[in-house]
């Protein structure tokens, strides 16, 4: 007669395994995420760090040098900017760029917000068709319209002026900004419009007193992108501006190259570093308003 044993002895030896605690797994995942973020940050900031280091190098050490920072920093590149380029002060290029960028911001905010209000808050025949056609213009390459536009402005004797560069900003030709504002305005409660109409407000008063204040996040976002796009624009000023005294910063940097193709890389990079400051200051000045507006979704009550 055999006796059967029950209990821990009958089950046999317990299988042992190495299981990582949950807290340890969280720490490992967090460490990997932070290392990946630092790697991406290093890749993004590398061009900026390279420009900063190269601006303090002699021109002969910039090309072909593997050193990120100069062994013997110099200030000659920045001192050369004070002398100007081809007897033109550096401030002239910055004034022209500020005029172009500021005019673009004003034109885009006025024209695109009015157009967006019409598409988002007013019902009229063919609204959806016109909106679709406007969005379709985003698919048109810039070079397709370049030649007919240049011929038109040349016949109007507007070449070598800022009119060809700015007139489109005041006619709501920037479909991206119109689309951005339309999407934001569509989320605003229509009860606000109805309450305003009961008080006797028309579309212009509703647009100015109700919709615009609530669309501050979209307006500030559009202003930031419009300023950066105009400040960095190279193709437009290159085509329509012929006099060096009317050049923007992007064209001014091209003047560091002489007729023989020899470029003053030190001065060019120093000017490009200085050209980053207005864009950075403009973004920092409006960043707080952008974040505040996004946090409240543009609605306050």
């Amino acid at each position: 007669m055999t006796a059967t044993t029950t209990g821990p002895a009958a089950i046999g030896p317990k299988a042992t395994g190495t299981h990582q605690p949950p807290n340890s797994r969280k720490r490992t995942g967090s460490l990997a995420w932070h290392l990946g973020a630092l790697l991406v940050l290093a890749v993004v900031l590398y061009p900026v760090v390279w420009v900063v280091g190269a601006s303090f190098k002699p021109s002969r050490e910039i090309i072909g040098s593997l050193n990120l920072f100069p062994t013997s920093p110099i200030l000659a590149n920045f001192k050369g900017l004070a002398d100007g380029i081809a007897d033109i002060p550096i401030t002239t290029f910055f004034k022209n760029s500020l005029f172009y960028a500021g005019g673009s911001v004003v034109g885009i905010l006025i024209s695109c917000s009015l157009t967006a209000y019409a598409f988002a808050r007013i019902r009229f025949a063919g609204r959806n068709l016109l909106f679709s056609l406007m969005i379709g213009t985003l698919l048109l390459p810039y070079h397709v319209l370049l030649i007919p536009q240049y011929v038109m402005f040349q016949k109007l004797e507007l070449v070598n002026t800022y009119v060809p560069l700015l007139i489109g900003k005041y006619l709501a030709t920037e479909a991206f900004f119109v689309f951005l504002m339309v999407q934001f305005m569509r989320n605003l409660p229509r009860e606000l419009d109805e309450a305003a109409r009961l008080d006797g407000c028309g579309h212009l008063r509703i647009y100015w007193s109700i919709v615009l204040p609530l669309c501050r996040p979209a307006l500030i976002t559009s202003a930031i992108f419009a300023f950066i796009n105009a400040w960095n624009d190279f193709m437009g000023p290159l085509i329509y501006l012929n006099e060096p005294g009317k050049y923007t910063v992007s064209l001014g940097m091209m003047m560091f190259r002489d007729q023989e193709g020899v470029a003053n890389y030190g001065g060019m990079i120093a000017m490009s570093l200085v050209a980053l400051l207005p864009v950075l200051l403009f973004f920092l000045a409006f960043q707080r308003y952008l974040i505040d507006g996004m946090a409240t979704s543009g609605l306050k009550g």
Side-chain angles (χ1 to χ4, degrees):
M1 184 176 180
T2 60
T4 60
T5 59
T6 60
I11 297 176
K14 184 184 292 186
T16 59
T18 59
H19 296 282
Q20 194 174 12
N23 293 335
S24 179
R25 290 197 300 268
K26 290 181 179 180
R27 286 194 297 269
T28 303
S30 178
L31 180 61
W33 189 91
H34 283 83
L35 289 177
L38 291 176
L39 180 61
V40 173
L41 181 63
V43 173
V44 172
L45 293 181
Y46 176 80
V48 179
V49 177
W50 185 89
V51 169
V52 173
S55 63
F56 294 96
K57 293 180 180 180
S59 297
R60 63 180 182 275
E61 295 183 6
I62 295 177
I63 304 300
S65 177
L66 299 179
N67 296 328
L68 190 60
F69 296 100
T71 55
S72 300
I74 61 173
L75 297 176
N77 297 329
F78 294 96
K79 292 180 180 179
L81 297 180
D83 300 332
I85 309 172
D87 297 330
I88 300 177
I90 294 296
T91 55
T92 301
F93 303 121
F94 282 87
K95 290 178 181 178
N96 295 336
S97 291
L98 286 175
F99 175 77
Y100 177 32
S104 300
V105 171
V106 174
I108 286 175
L109 292 184
I110 295 176
S111 62
C112 293
S113 61
L114 279 170
T115 306
Y117 176 82
F119 280 126
R121 315 299 284 189
I122 302 176
R123 292 186 176 91
F124 57 90
R127 181 181 65 171
N128 295 332
L129 177 61
L130 291 176
F131 185 72
S132 300
L133 291 176
M134 183 202 67
I135 297 300
T137 59
L138 294 173
L139 303 177
L140 290 176
Y142 176 77
H143 305 84
V144 173
L145 305 176
L146 183 60
I147 295 178
Q149 285 180 351
Y150 183 84
V151 173
M152 178 184 66
F153 289 122
Q154 186 181 35
K155 291 182 178 180
L156 294 175
E157 298 182 355
L158 294 176
V159 176
N160 200 29
T161 66
Y162 289 94
V163 175
L165 300 175
L166 293 176
I167 190 172
K169 316 295 183 182
Y170 290 84
L171 296 178
T173 59
E174 302 287 343
F176 170 77
F177 297 111
V178 176
F179 175 77
L180 177 66
M181 296 181 188
V182 166
Q183 296 302 110
F184 194 90
M185 290 182 184
R186 283 178 175 174
N187 294 327
L188 299 179
R190 289 193 173 271
E191 289 78 6
L192 298 174
D193 297 11
E194 298 173 358
R197 291 192 186 96
L198 293 177
D199 292 336
C201 297
H203 284 297
L204 186 59
R205 184 62 182 276
I206 295 174
Y207 159 79
W208 182 258
S209 300
I210 298 177
V211 175
L212 275 189
L214 297 178
C215 290
R216 188 176 64 176
L219 295 176
I220 294 178
T221 302
S222 300
I224 292 174
F225 282 106
F227 185 89
I228 294 175
N229 292 339
W231 185 270
N232 295 329
D233 187 16
F234 178 79
M235 183 65 69
L238 178 64
I239 294 172
Y240 292 109
L241 300 179
N242 300 327
E243 297 180 8
K246 297 181 179 179
Y247 281 1
T248 58
V249 173
S250 57
L251 291 183
M253 288 189 291
M254 186 180 62
M255 297 180 64
F256 281 97
R257 185 181 58 186
D258 57 19
Q259 296 179 354
E260 298 179 355
V262 180
N264 180 12
Y265 293 108
M268 185 185 300
I269 294 177
M271 186 172 178
S272 64
L273 181 62
V274 176
L276 290 176
L277 297 180
V279 178
L280 181 62
L281 294 176
F282 186 84
F283 176 79
L284 294 177
F286 290 97
Q287 183 184 21
R288 178 172 61 88
Y289 299 100
L290 177 62
I291 295 176
D292 292 344
M294 294 293 288
T296 57
S297 300
L299 296 176
K300 294 184 179 180

